[in-house]
Amino acid sequence: MRNAASVLGLIAGLIGIIVGLFGYGATELAARAPELADAFDLFENPAFIRFASFMAPLLAIAGGAMAKDRALWGGIAMLLSCAAFYSAFGFNVGTMFPIGFAGLGGVLAILSRQPDQPKAH
């Protein structure tokens, strides 16, 4: 289960980097063209969007990397990443995979009791 949690965290982080780039870029566009932000009511808190755009993928990748040796810490990091994605961007077509993969990876990491052991079939 720790291997699966690790892979899910890494995939969530890689997809999350794309989401984060678009989120950060949208806040920069709104800052440079305030008429767009006013016309479309883009962001209530652009500083939080910028913070989550950087931290959510970072937490997912770090949690995936920690999942094999420090499963509890890695699972908590992935669940924090999942919460950051959801609170910053909501659940939509762009965030459903990072949210789902980070959430499932976090749960699997926390529920794993011992490191994966190879078994002969």
Side-chain angles (χ1 to χ4, degrees), residues 2 5-10 13 55-79 81 102 105-106 109:
R2 290 181 181 208
S6 179
V7 170
L8 286 170
L10 293 175
M55 286 305 294
L58 185 70
L59 284 170
I61 291 172
M66 287 190 290
K68 287 187 180 182
D69 293 328
R70 300 280 184 195
L72 180 63
W73 293 3
I76 291 171
M78 285 188 273
L79 290 177
S81 170

Side-chain angles (χ1 to χ4, degrees), residues 8-54:
L8 286 170
L10 293 175
I11 293 172
L14 292 176
I15 297 171
I17 287 172
I18 298 167
V19 173
L21 286 173
F22 279 107
Y24 198 93
T27 59
E28 283 296 316
L29 178 66
R32 293 176 192 252
E35 60 274 0
L36 286 175
D38 293 338
F40 295 110
D41 285 335
L42 290 178
F43 304 106
E44 292 178 15
N45 191 355
F48 177 69
I49 301 294
R50 289 182 185 138
F51 175 76
S53 294
F54 176 71

